[in-house]
């Protein structure tokens, strides 16, 4: 029953973005551009050349107690000070993480394992659960105390290309972890039925579609085809596309049009086919090995032609 906020990470997310964003009043710019303009080292400098960057900021070499967080604080404080002085008309806006933490919301940090290095450690203080420990001081002087109702959720993809191991300091502050396995055929079927609103009389057809999706996914793993996707989203899109094609034909006067294998095969190409892989030979291999064993090869060939002609 708590309000929900989300923060979506990417490979270029830095600690400053976790806390807030410098937005120009007059023109677009990025925090990294402003950092460079102020002559400050970047967050990447801290991560990849910590010793020299620390010495540059503090005039001495780091010791065993020195941390990257000290560097990040100096950099972000410099940016905020510039903004407070109205340098080039910039203003500081708190991130969804900061807003949610102070108000007791659920905050989903999405794609947490795409972020590089120690970036996520920048919000470690807010992930503490001990009294008086969950506090962060923003570089504009505002002190944010985590509301006791606040829930952080870090979601990761794990096996996808481009993902990194979650930083240990962050992982150690996560109280509960759960690995969500690939749904069964039955679970996929039920989800797709609810997602699309299809009548229960079509459940057998959707079950076959779900079985096909799992079969494709397993085959790709066995054949080391790793540059594509075929899962719950693709199944939902496949079913929805078939419904769209049925409704299109009904609107064109075909009163007999109904959700069946004919439309399922037609919908396959614009929702499943080109997402299996980015290598055409691999797509065709899957088509022959898995799809043609489940559906009429002649119908598949006809639908493929229609798809290539832009008709479906």
């Amino acid at each position: 029953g708590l309000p929900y906020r989300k923060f979506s990470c990417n490979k270029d997310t830095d600690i400053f973005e976790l806390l807030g964003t410098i937005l120009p009043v007059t023109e677009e710019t990025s925090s990294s551009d402003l950092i460079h303009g102020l002559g400050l080292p970047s967050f990447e400098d801290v991560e990849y050349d910590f010793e020299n960057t620390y010495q540059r900021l503090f005039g001495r070499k780091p010791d065993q107690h020195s941390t990257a967080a000290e560097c990040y604080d100096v950099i972000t404080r410099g940016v905020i000070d510039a903004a407070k002085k109205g340098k080039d008309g910039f203003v500081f806006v708190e991130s969804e993480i900061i807003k949610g933490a102070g108000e007791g919301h659920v905050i989903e940090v999405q794609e947490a394992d795409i972020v590089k290095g120690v970036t996520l450690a920048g919000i470690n203080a807010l992930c503490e659960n001990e009294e008086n420990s969950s506090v962060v001081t923003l570089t504009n002087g505002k002190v944010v105390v985590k509301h006791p109702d606040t829930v952080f959720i870090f979601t990761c993809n794990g096996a996808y290309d481009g993902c990194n191991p979650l930083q240990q300091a962050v992982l150690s502050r996560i109280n509960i972890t759960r690995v969500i396995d690939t749904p069964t055929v039955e679970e996929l079927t039920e989800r797709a039925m609810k997602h699309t609103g299809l009548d229960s009389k079509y459940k057998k057809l959707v079950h076959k579609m779900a079985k096909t999706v799992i079969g494709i996914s397993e085959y790709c793993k066995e054949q080391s085809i790793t540059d594509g996707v075929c899962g719950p989203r693709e199944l939902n899109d496949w079913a929805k596309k078939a419904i769209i094609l049925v409704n299109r034909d009904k609107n064109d006067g075909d009163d007999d049009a109904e959700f069946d294998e004919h439309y399922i095969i037609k919908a396959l190409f614009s929702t499943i086919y080109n997402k299996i892989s980015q290598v055409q030979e691999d797509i065709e291999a899957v088509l022959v090995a898995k799809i043609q064993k489940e559906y009429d090869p002649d119908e598949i060939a006809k639908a493929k032609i229609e798809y290539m002609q832009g008709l479906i």
Side-chain angles (χ1 to χ4, degrees), residues 32-60:
S32 58
D33 289 336
L34 186 54
I35 289 169
H36 178 74
L38 293 170
L40 293 168
S42 68
F43 296 113
E44 288 78 12
D45 291 334
V46 179
E47 183 175 349
Y48 296 112
D49 191 14
F50 173 68
E51 185 172 332
N52 288 328
T53 303
Y54 190 94
Q55 186 165 12
R56 177 180 168 187
L57 289 171
F58 296 97
R60 58 182 174 83

Side-chain angles (χ1 to χ4, degrees), residues 185 189 202-215 235 238 261 264-265 291 293-296:
V185 173
T189 302
Y202 300 118
K203 186 173 182 178
K204 186 175 180 180
L205 287 167
V206 176
H207 186 276
K208 185 174 181 179
M209 295 167 73
K211 180 182 175 183
T212 302
V213 164
I214 289 183
L235 174 61
W238 186 10
E261 287 204 4
I264 289 171
I265 292 170
I291 300 173
K293 290 183 178 180
E294 297 289 340
Y295 300 96
D296 186 333

